[in-house]
Amino acid sequence: MKIGFFSAKPYDIRHFTNINQTFKVDIEFFDYRLCMQNVKLAEGYEVVCAFVNDSLCEEVLVELANGGTKIIAMRCAGFNNVDLIAAERLGMKVVNVPAYSPESVAEHSVALMLTLNRKIHKAYQRTRDANFALSGLVGFNMFGKTVGVIGTGKIGLATIKILLGFGCKVLAYDPYPNQAVIDLGVEYASLDSLYPQCDIISLHCPLTKDNHHLLNKVSFSQMKPGVMVINTSRGGLLDAFDAMEALKDGQIGSLGLDVYENEKGLFFEDKSNEIIQDDIFRRLSACHNVIFTGHQAFLTEEALNSIASTTLTNVTQLTTGQACNNELF
Ligand code: NAD
């Protein structure tokens, strides 16, 4: 059994190679993103291991199946980039890593909140230039603020626990309330009721066909003026153009994004010598009250080890005929 491993970065190679000392499977690492142009590389690989910005649309899956691929091993939780219906029709199995380290993403979400609030990004630049003036750096206490957490699964819950530690009031929204969240004394509310009450709103739900652009000009207009919005979930949950307009008139006070709808082909690559063509991205990233990180919320040693270990366990179970709990259908 051979694994064709797409979008491989040095940190993936390091962690998978280390964990593979136990599993001893044959892995070929490709730096390339999986897409129609590169799919031929996967020929002969029974297993293809892919990540968030690899394309697993029907067209690519058909080519993979023709080349002998039987298993798609997603080394991430989200699978909105996989056409599951096509995969099932083609007789492929798809597995993911549903929980590798919810704390990694939760802590990054809170890091974005604190950075935007206390203007650490500005202070870092100023003090490097021996500018110790404090004007423009005024933040607010997290203590006593109301934070809206949309999506209260594993990452939402981990985020709520940190926020409660700061003394925040948390309001939650999820079509399927989580008893562990209720046990923490957190109230669930409808979105209409949550939006106007929150000083900070943080997204922790998957992207589905029903919640594309969940945050848009209508929802922004219902929020408290000057609200902080954080998205570490999936770019498509937030309409970036509408966010830019809401930033211009101060309706959004600050915006922290680890994900972006058009991140494919942009994030995970060094583009520092290129002119970024995406005007919305350029305008947003030029704002002093917007912080982008390039889909790095998961990027901790603990999460990478856990991803490698679960992915190789998934693949070993499927290829040896054992039951695998992480099969997507
Ligand atoms: P999870 O499945 O444990 O929880 C997701 C929760 O969202 C569930 O409780 C579900 O009921 C809820 N939900 C579904 N649709 C919703 C909607 N329309 N509105 C509100 N809630 C809704 O998933 P998780 O492990 O907590 O991960 C959440 C998301 O975080 C993933 O789907 C993924 O997109 C994202 N993520 C990002 C990174 C990163 O590095 N930036 C890493 C891992 C996961």
Side-chain angles (χ1 to χ4, degrees):
M1 184 262 296
K2 287 197 305 178
I3 303 181
F5 191 111
F6 282 82
S7 301
K9 299 294 175 206
Y11 46 83
D12 293 315
I13 298 171
R14 184 158 55 85
H15 286 84
F16 270 81
T17 304
N18 185 27
I19 299 287
N20 198 27
Q21 287 173 10
T22 312
F23 291 86
K24 300 191 189 325
V25 296
D26 187 359
I27 309 178
E28 183 83 36
F29 293 101
F30 301 114
D31 185 10
Y32 303 101
R33 198 165 67 77
L34 179 61
C35 58
M36 234 6 230
Q37 285 75 25
N38 300 328
V39 68
K40 284 278 176 227
L41 280 172
E43 212 167 282
Y45 288 90
E46 186 184 343
V47 183
V48 158
C49 182
F51 196 51
V52 293
N53 286 333
D54 288 309
S55 178
L56 292 130
C57 60
E58 182 171 14
E59 213 183 359
V60 169
L61 290 172
V62 168
E63 284 300 311
L64 288 175
N66 289 341
T69 299
K70 296 189 170 59
I71 296 169
I72 306 293
M74 299 303 294
R75 55 179 190 279
C76 51
F79 46 85
N80 52 292
N81 51 332
V82 188
D83 186 335
L84 291 181
I85 295 168
E88 190 170 20
R89 184 173 48 72
L90 291 162
M92 288 170 152
K93 292 185 185 272
V94 184
V95 283
N96 74 337
V97 183
Y100 43 86
S101 172
E103 290 76 19
S104 65
V105 183
E107 289 170 16
H108 191 82
S109 308
V110 177
L112 287 173
M113 289 176 202
L114 293 181
T115 305
L116 285 166
N117 172 16
R118 304 307 294 267
K119 311 194 172 45
I120 306 296
H121 54 306
K122 287 192 197 182
Y124 172 74
Q125 294 296 351
R126 280 191 197 182
T127 53
R128 280 161 68 90
D129 202 24
N131 174 359
F132 305 107
L134 298 182
S135 305
L137 301 185
V138 180
F140 55 79
N141 284 4
M142 292 292 283
F143 180 83
K145 290 297 177 297
T146 302
V147 185
V149 172
I150 299 181
T152 57
K154 293 175 284 297
I155 296 171
L157 172 63
T159 307
I160 289 170
K161 286 181 179 167
I162 301 172
L163 293 169
L164 292 177
F166 281 129
C168 294
K169 174 178 178 193
V170 175
L171 281 179
Y173 170 76
D174 193 308
Y176 303 97
N178 180 346
Q179 189 57 45
V181 170
I182 297 169
D183 291 346
L184 291 170
V186 169
E187 251 178 69
Y188 277 89
S190 67
L191 289 174
D192 285 346
S193 153
L194 179 152
Y195 288 146
Q197 296 189 63
C198 292
D199 302 287
I200 301 174
I201 291 179
S202 194
L203 292 175
H204 299 289
C205 56
L207 175 64
T208 66
K209 59 179 175 13
D210 303 321
N211 64 12
H212 181 248
H213 288 181
L214 176 73
L215 298 193
N216 56 33
K217 67 177 170 200
V218 178
S219 37
F220 293 138
S221 72
Q222 290 174 264
M223 295 176 192
K224 251 191 195 180
V227 64
M228 178 190 291
V229 175
I230 304 290
N231 187 8
T232 57
S233 281
R234 282 295 178 266
L237 291 166
L238 177 142
D239 186 323
F241 178 83
D242 287 357
M244 197 174 62
E245 294 298 309
L247 278 156
K248 278 198 313 205
D249 63 19
Q251 180 59 21
I252 294 182
S254 52
L255 180 64
L257 299 178
D258 185 53
V259 288
Y260 176 61
E261 189 161 23
N262 297 320
E263 69 181 53
K264 206 182 262 188
L266 193 61
F267 285 9
F268 306 117
E269 307 298 333
D270 180 359
K271 300 278 176 188
S272 55
N273 287 317
E274 293 177 31
I275 301 293
I276 303 294
Q277 300 298 319
D278 182 332
D279 288 339
I280 296 180
F281 179 84
R282 280 154 50 101
R283 286 169 71 187
L284 281 175
S285 56
C287 295
H288 71 91
N289 50 354
V290 175
I291 294 182
F292 273 104
T293 51
H295 209 137
Q296 70 169 77
F298 72 99
L299 200 67
T300 66
E301 292 291 335
E302 292 81 356
L304 288 167
N305 276 332
S306 173
I307 287 170
S309 168
T310 305
T311 303
L312 294 179
T313 302
N314 287 345
V315 169
T316 306
Q317 286 173 336
L318 288 185
T319 52
T320 55
Q322 299 171 59
C324 174
N325 288 335
N326 298 330
E327 268 193 75
L328 290 175
F329 49 80

